Amino acid sequence: MKKAWALTKIYINSLYGISGFINSFKTNKKSAFKTIALILLILIGLLGTASAFIIYNIQLYDILRPINQQGIIISNSFIFAAMFTLIFGIVGIIATYFVDKEGDIILSMPLKPWNLLFAKFFTSYLYEAVLSLIIMATGVIVYGVKSGEGLLFYIISFIVSLLIPVIPLVVSYIVIIPLMKVANFLKKKDVVMIISGFIGALFGVVIQLSFQDTMMKMNKNPEVLREIFTFQNGMVSIASRIYPPSTWGTYAIIDISSTRGFTGLMLLLLTAAVAVILLHCFMSEMYLRSLIGSTEVRKSERKMTEKELKMGLRRRNILTSLLLREIRLMNREPIFFLNGPFVIFLIPAILGAMLFIQRDVIAAQLGTILRYNTSSYYSTLIVAGMGAFLGSMSSIASSAISREGKAFMYLKSMPIEPVKYINAKLLHAGIFGVMAGFITCAIGYFLMGVTIGGLMLAFIISQLLMLPSFICGLLLELTWPKLIWDNPQKAVKQNINVVIIIFGGMIFLYGTAAAVYFLLKTPIYGYLVLTIVLAVINVVLYACLISYGRKRFYEIEA
């Protein structure tokens, strides 16, 4: 077990950089305070999203309290946390599967297969546990404050929240390990990793669709309705038919003093422990085999034709060549794709599934909303905000120079104009921004009923909204590029610029939404002011980027 924990510490330090953060307090106070400021920025960025869930749960509690069904708030939070940890767990496992080069170094050490799997599992678990705690807090705090619960309630809630990711994470590994074994066999690791990301996301969405469809069918069952209204927290009992651990965890939180609550906690603990043990017993050997030879590639016997050679060597515009280079770099290293642009496809898939299943309810709500004259105005801006959010989450611009690594020193010595290099980076981010705009416009058209004219406005505004995050991301990259890293994961995951842009972008969108709601209530006036103000901001930021980039490009050192 000591070897497993030692390897776990190596993985955690490699992925999260905890040791570097602790050492910075001793050697570099300025860097440490910068990290603390970054954590505060993350918390502020999450505050807006968490507030929306908290307000929703407060309203739900007030509705359900008179009929003694308020326990469903905890149950909903449990299921929602489990679903999110399942989907993001699958993507996270794929993105970190090969980054530590086990085939070259770690596999040569006297380690057992289960040591390797345990270390990876626990490293992934830490991230999922934090996500679970945040999601559960939005329900637990509302229930605890409104019901006047004591300290024991929050302690049990904390324990249950830590147990939630275990089962979804075990399921994620059961799905991913065979896929990675196929990737190793085919010697097409990069391709299979990207395909596996889509398969994993699809798997999570299918489970979500099945769950919501089952819930809707059960709500139409007379016997289920009778059980809900006959027993206290009958809705919680109904949830056990879909995902039993949610009921165990809910009763453990809201009624730990009873036999039912204590039994639920014990069942949750036992199920989590058994799931982890079975995973390590039956999947460790396959996990090891999937790692052996993971850095090898298969030599292609196919010869390049003369036509292909000419196509590859043909003369191109410098900007076009640099842009194509950016795209190839992203495609060649799937870690970059899975940790950034993949979110543009993942989040709409989840959102689209939720909206599709609840389309009847949403249609009824839209019918009420559309009675108001400003409904189409706000619908258009919601679509624009969704597109801007997706675009700013892609992390392409905010990791643009860091992804170069040590190769940037060679690029700097070549006869490349800094302006064209920067514009290629900006265009690369813009391509995915356009994709995000089209995807959200499709959601707006098919599921929200936004008109074609509204979608055109939404697309334009979304591009103007996300462009500041791209430009600011490049400004940060020019200032603090992370060029020294030993695996591609660190260029994105441990890049302070990425975090600043993601959460800074969220704050910018929240501020824009507040300004629209309180100051720009008239559609024509709102569209005009938004477009002009955002256009001016982008022009000023772009001018600063070019001016700063010309000088800073040659000053960057690895």
Side-chain angles (χ1 to χ4, degrees):
M1 194 66 187
K2 290 183 179 179
K3 292 180 180 179
W5 278 114
L7 183 59
T8 303
K9 291 178 182 177
I10 293 173
Y11 281 169
I12 291 172
N13 286 327
S14 174
L15 186 60
Y16 302 113
I18 295 176
S19 293
F21 174 67
I22 295 172
N23 291 333
S24 65
F25 276 99
K26 301 176 183 178
T27 59
N28 191 345
K29 299 286 186 183
K30 185 177 180 180
S31 176
F33 286 123
K34 188 189 296 183
T35 305
I36 293 172
L38 181 63
I39 293 172
L40 291 175
L41 178 65
I42 293 172
L43 293 176
I44 294 171
L46 290 173
L47 186 62
T49 304
S51 299
F53 282 104
I54 289 172
I55 292 170
Y56 170 76
N57 283 327
I58 289 172
Q59 295 174 342
L60 189 62
Y61 185 96
D62 293 337
I63 293 171
L64 296 175
R65 180 66 184 88
I67 57 174
N68 288 321
Q69 301 298 326
Q70 64 272 25
I72 198 65
I73 292 174
I74 304 296
S75 186
N76 280 346
S77 299
F78 189 111
I79 294 171
F80 190 62
M83 288 293 178
F84 256 73
T85 53
L86 173 66
I87 295 172
F88 285 98
I90 288 173
V91 177
I93 291 168
I94 294 170
T96 60
Y97 205 87
F98 296 114
V99 297
D100 298 293
K101 301 184 178 177
E102 293 90 340
D104 294 332
I105 302 171
I106 295 177
L107 292 182
S108 64
M109 297 179 180
L111 297 170
K112 296 180 179 179
W114 74 268
N115 295 152
L116 296 167
L117 181 56
F118 175 84
K120 274 292 185 181
F121 182 89
F122 191 82
T123 305
S124 301
Y125 167 78
L126 287 179
Y127 169 80
E128 301 297 325
V130 172
L131 182 62
S132 174
L133 285 168
I134 293 171
I135 295 173
M136 282 296 291
T138 60
V140 167
I141 291 173
V142 170
Y143 187 96
V145 172
K146 300 279 279 186
S147 301
E149 299 290 344
L151 180 62
L152 182 61
F153 169 83
Y154 295 101
I155 294 173
I156 298 300
S157 298
F158 181 78
I159 294 171
V160 170
S161 298
L162 292 178
L163 292 172
I164 290 174
V166 175
I167 297 174
L169 204 55
V170 168
V171 173
S172 299
Y173 270 98
I174 291 172
V175 172
I176 295 304
I177 290 175
L179 289 173
M180 292 298 105
K181 182 68 174 66
V182 172
N184 196 1
F185 174 76
L186 296 175
K187 301 301 179 187
K188 296 287 185 180
K189 180 185 72 176
D190 295 351
V191 175
V192 176
M193 282 180 72
I194 293 175
I195 294 173
S196 297
F198 285 102
I199 292 174
L202 181 63
F203 176 76
V205 170
V206 167
I207 289 179
Q208 186 186 48
L209 286 169
S210 302
F211 166 74
Q212 293 189 0
D213 187 53
T214 304
M215 279 292 289
M216 292 183 68
K217 289 178 180 178
M218 289 174 62
N219 288 337
K220 296 177 182 178
N221 189 324
E223 294 200 4
V224 170
L225 293 175
R226 182 179 61 81
E227 184 175 344
I228 289 173
F229 292 105
T230 302
F231 302 100
Q232 183 176 358
N233 287 315
M235 287 184 178
V236 177
S237 301
I238 298 302
S240 66
R241 303 180 187 181
I242 301 167
Y243 187 55
S246 67
T247 302
W248 304 338
T250 301
Y251 282 129
I253 292 173
I254 66 177
D255 199 15
I256 188 61
S257 59
S258 68
T259 304
R260 180 175 60 179
F262 182 77
T263 302
L265 181 60
M266 292 299 104
L267 282 171
L268 193 60
L269 280 166
L270 182 63
T271 304
V274 170
V276 172
I277 291 170
L278 291 176
L279 173 71
H280 286 76
C281 287
F282 292 102
M283 302 300 289
S284 294
E285 290 292 339
M286 184 181 290
Y287 179 71
L288 174 63
R289 291 196 297 272
S290 71
L291 296 178
I292 296 174
S294 60
T295 58
E296 296 177 0
V297 293
R298 178 172 292 176
K299 179 183 176 182
S300 176
E301 300 294 336
R302 180 178 172 273
K303 294 182 179 180
M304 184 179 289
T305 65
E306 185 178 350
K307 182 179 179 182
E308 290 173 333
L309 182 62
K310 288 181 179 179
M311 286 288 290
L313 298 177
R314 71 176 177 176
R315 187 181 182 89
R316 289 190 181 94
N317 176 274
I318 294 177
L319 182 61
T320 305
S321 299
L322 289 171
L323 177 59
L324 291 174
R325 177 184 173 276
E326 289 295 315
I327 295 171
R328 287 176 187 138
L329 179 63
M330 182 70 71
N331 293 338
R332 188 175 70 246
E333 187 53 74
I335 299 299
F336 295 150
F337 178 79
L338 292 171
N339 282 291
F342 184 65
V343 74
I344 292 176
F345 307 100
L346 176 62
I347 293 179
I350 299 171
L351 180 63
M354 294 171 63
L355 293 175
F356 179 77
I357 287 294
Q358 298 176 355
R359 59 189 181 278
D360 294 334
V361 176
I362 292 171
Q365 293 175 343
L366 284 175
T368 304
I369 294 172
L370 289 173
R371 296 174 189 172
Y372 299 94
N373 295 330
T374 57
S375 61
S376 60
Y377 171 56
Y378 288 118
S379 298
T380 298
L381 294 182
I382 287 171
V383 174
M386 288 165 54
F389 174 75
L390 283 182
S392 62
M393 289 283 285
S394 66
S395 307
I396 296 175
S398 54
S399 63
I401 299 176
S402 297
R403 294 196 306 269
E404 302 281 6
K406 296 177 183 178
F408 181 78
M409 295 299 105
Y410 299 103
L411 284 169
K412 193 170 69 168
S413 65
M414 297 175 69
I416 297 174
E417 293 181 34
V419 173
K420 291 183 178 178
Y421 177 81
I422 291 169
N423 283 336
K425 298 284 186 184
L426 190 59
L427 282 172
H428 184 215
I431 289 171
F432 283 92
V434 170
M435 288 184 186
F438 279 126
I439 290 171
T440 51
C441 283
I443 292 175
Y445 180 75
F446 290 107
L447 299 177
M448 296 175 64
V450 181
T451 62
I452 298 296
L455 292 176
M456 292 174 67
L457 284 169
F459 180 81
I460 294 170
I461 294 171
S462 70
Q463 301 306 303
L464 292 173
L465 276 171
M466 70 177 77
L467 195 53
S469 68
F470 295 158
I471 298 174
C472 290
L474 285 171
L475 284 169
L476 288 173
E477 278 290 279
L478 286 166
T479 307
W480 300 304
K482 189 178 181 64
L483 298 176
I484 300 175
W485 38 265
D486 53 7
N487 66 62
Q489 182 87 1
K490 291 184 179 180
V492 182
K493 286 289 186 181
Q494 291 186 22
N495 192 337
I496 189 173
N497 302 329
V498 171
V499 181
I500 290 173
I501 291 303
I502 288 177
F503 291 97
M506 290 171 66
I507 294 171
F508 175 71
L509 288 176
Y510 293 146
T512 304
V516 168
Y517 184 77
F518 291 107
L519 303 175
L520 305 175
K521 296 186 176 182
T522 306
I524 296 176
Y525 180 68
Y527 290 139
L528 189 62
V529 171
L530 262 181
T531 304
I532 293 174
V533 171
L534 289 172
V536 170
I537 290 173
N538 285 313
V539 169
V540 172
L541 285 175
Y542 180 73
C544 292
L545 174 65
I546 296 304
S547 176
Y548 181 64
R550 280 198 180 100
K551 178 182 68 172
R552 178 61 183 162
F553 182 81
Y554 295 107
E555 297 175 353
I556 297 174
E557 297 291 340

